[in-house]
Amino acid sequence: MKSRFYDMTFNDAHGEPFDTDLLRDKVVIIVNTASECGFRSQLESLEHLYQKYKDEGLVILGFPSSDFRNQEPLNSKDAESCYRENHGVTFPIMEKVHVRGKDIHPLFKALTESRTGLLTSAIKWNYTKFLVSREGKIMDRYPPQKKPEQFEEDVKKTLRYT
């Protein structure tokens, strides 16, 4: 998924096309989010990571999804507002998407095909995270249980050595 990453298209929370050229030469964390998920406290941890490393080129993209027990009942704009107001998120929030199944968004299809999880390539729950290098290469995939602070060293290495 090296150069294909920059060819992916998706919209921001307001339905406007997101300019993926803004991601070139950046290290990106992509995460599927849900406001009613027990892992939602990771929004604060992701924001902390974003604030700490954004000046070095880190970008985090949150993609609301309701694929798991309808834990994101909000539409894209309301999810963005909820994340900002309740969790202090300032990183970009995208349009609500499907991250598995027959309607899987092409970005998540490419991500899951590039980095499989334990036993399967499908995303099993909210807050699955993907780390993408400055060259658009999927470096790693982290399960929902792995908190952002637990893979901070990977982020630092990717920022400084790619």
Side-chain angles (χ1 to χ4, degrees):
M1 188 167 141
K2 291 180 183 170
S3 61
R4 280 185 40 208
F5 177 72
Y6 301 111
D7 296 331
M8 292 280 145
T9 59
F10 44 87
N11 295 333
D12 66 19
H14 301 272
E16 297 297 320
F18 184 83
D19 183 2
T20 54
D21 279 338
L22 297 173
L23 303 177
R24 289 192 188 276
D25 298 320
K26 303 286 186 189
V27 171
V28 183
I29 295 173
I30 297 170
V31 57
N32 62 308
T33 59
S35 62
E36 294 185 4
C37 178
F39 292 116
R40 69 184 168 271
S41 65
Q42 289 188 23
L43 288 166
E44 287 98 344
S45 298
L46 287 162
E47 178 63 24
H48 177 75
L49 206 61
Y50 177 62
Q51 290 301 322
K52 191 170 182 179
Y53 297 106
K54 69 180 181 178
D55 291 340
E56 290 185 51
L58 178 66
V59 176
I60 297 176
L61 301 176
F63 285 83
S65 178
S66 199
D67 286 345
F68 305 98
R69 294 190 185 163
N70 296 314
Q71 290 186 341
E72 186 48 270
L74 303 172
N75 65 35
S76 303
K77 288 191 275 190
D78 290 343
E80 178 186 50
S81 293
C82 173
Y83 301 163
R84 297 212 188 299
E85 291 170 18
N86 298 334
H87 304 282
V89 167
T90 63
F91 57 81
I93 302 300
M94 300 296 114
E95 192 167 57
K96 191 172 179 178
V97 298
H98 288 286
V99 299
R100 69 177 189 169
K102 66 178 178 57
D103 295 322
I104 188 172
H105 189 279
L107 172 63
F108 282 88
K109 183 171 175 47
L111 289 168
T112 56
E113 287 175 353
S114 293
R115 277 289 179 188
T116 60
L118 185 63
L119 305 177
T120 180
S121 64
I123 291 179
K124 295 182 200 109
W125 204 252
N126 302 307
Y127 294 91
T128 297
K129 297 154 290 282
F130 295 86
L131 179 62
V132 182
S133 74
R134 295 180 191 276
E135 294 80 27
K137 179 182 177 202
I138 309 299
M139 301 301 291
D140 218 330
R141 173 180 175 161
Y142 306 101
Q145 301 82 357
K146 192 158 203 168
K147 297 174 184 172
E149 53 271 19
Q150 293 174 300
F151 61 87
E152 183 174 353
E153 283 303 313
D154 295 347
V155 172
K156 286 186 344 187
K157 287 178 190 171
T158 305
L159 281 165
R160 294 171 185 164
Y161 298 110
T162 61

